Amino acid sequence: MSMIDRINAYAGELTALRRDIHAHPELGFEEVRTAGIVADLLERFGCEVHRGIAGTGVVGILQGRTDNGRRIGLRADMDALPIEEATNLPYRSTVPGKMHACGHDGHTAMLLGAARYLTETRDFDGTAMFIFQPAEEGLGGARAMLKAGLFERFPCDEIYGLHNQPGGGRGRIKLCAGPMMAAADFFDIRIRGKGSHAAWPHQSIDPVMITAGLAQALQSIVSRNTDPLKAIVLSITRMQAGASYNVIPETAQLAGTIRTLDADVRAMAATRMRALSEAFATGFGADITVELRDVFSVLDNPPAQAKAAADAARDLLGAEQVDSCIVPLMGSEDFADMMMAVPGAYVWLGAGPGAGLHNAGYDFDDAIIPVGSAFLASMVERRTAAA
Ligand code: NI
């Protein structure tokens, strides 16, 4: 029986599990119920289970037939988003304001499906590590697990992970070697001027005018400071100032995100943001502070592991279902930090048409669960056998 056929035999159970997790979403570092389900199932399958890593992280360990010393890690994320679900699905979120709108419920079910397959078949030599991480959505769950000694306690030679992609063609696997997803910095710029009556503007240092000008000027980092053949996104997502019609306020704020694929571009953007802010402060006599936070690293697939993942996907699904040379995306992924510690590969797994990720109408495509489980399981079988 093929790997996918074997996993398909219990696809119904994996779907039921996925829908149960979907109905009970938990935000980052609060995945107590989800982690409990994961750990209990891993134990039932016959894995050695470690709970409570960086709070709610779980690691399951499975020995193959013999121990050849190779250790392959598979990773899934477990957290939901602070979104009010806008579907009428029978398994819709039962928690107001929280929703699995990125399919991490599906990723968790897929990795449990891979763990079940590998424990039932044990057709590999070496060790499989099943890593379930908390808080992928911008709260630093991967970094927290690394800080908790993830790879010192559970050393891996290689690690693999995946993300579903709505509208990406059901069951298609896509990746590229090299940078595939962007680094992300979040920024807060605080402008302190001088408030006054709106009718006596000459008595003010108007933070609203300074903020509007600075917001425009910051876009020159993209259009005038970055090599046009290199990628950068600078999005201002929040502007805040004032509360009335006849008062020039004292302060204003800008916030947003910078996405880059290249360390030099990333550093340049930070330098220019500070320089422009300083120049506006000097020019207008205001006080401006810039806070930049490194939230995500570049997700970089090393060539050897990218090739291994693409080869596995082709053998599993057929060459026509695999695109191993996609254009990088400017979205970000927490798994990047784990891949800076251990080489690995991250792939997109296409899903059927539907609402996009982080959308209140999103619905995970359960039909791709066995494909994801099989891909992950095959990485263990193939890469524990790799010299
Ligand atoms: Ni996600």
Side-chain angles (χ1 to χ4, degrees), residues 77 102 104 107 136-137 163 333 358:
D77 39 17
C102 201
H104 298 186
H107 303 164
E136 190 282 327
E137 299 286 2
H163 204 291
E333 167 58 55
H358 295 207

Side-chain angles (χ1 to χ4, degrees), residues 42-127:
L42 289 173
E43 250 162 30
R44 215 172 79 205
F45 295 158
C47 297
E48 177 189 323
V49 176
H50 299 261
R51 302 171 190 242
I53 301 158
T56 44
V58 177
V59 172
I61 303 175
L62 178 68
Q63 298 295 334
R65 285 166 307 208
T66 64
D67 188 3
N68 66 2
R70 289 278 292 171
R71 295 155 170 265
I72 303 302
L74 304 175
R75 168 275 199 181
D77 39 17
M78 301 186 288
D79 56 323
L81 284 157
I83 293 177
E84 180 71 28
E85 181 161 350
T87 77
N88 285 315
L89 299 165
Y91 48 86
R92 70 188 300 261
S93 171
T94 58
V95 186
K98 298 180 189 176
M99 175 190 180
H100 270 292
C102 201
H104 298 186
D105 47 350
H107 303 164
T108 297
M110 286 180 199
L111 185 49
L112 286 168
R116 174 167 169 180
Y117 172 87
L118 290 167
T119 48
E120 284 179 3
T121 54
R122 295 213 191 205
D123 192 12
F124 66 99
D125 300 306
T127 309

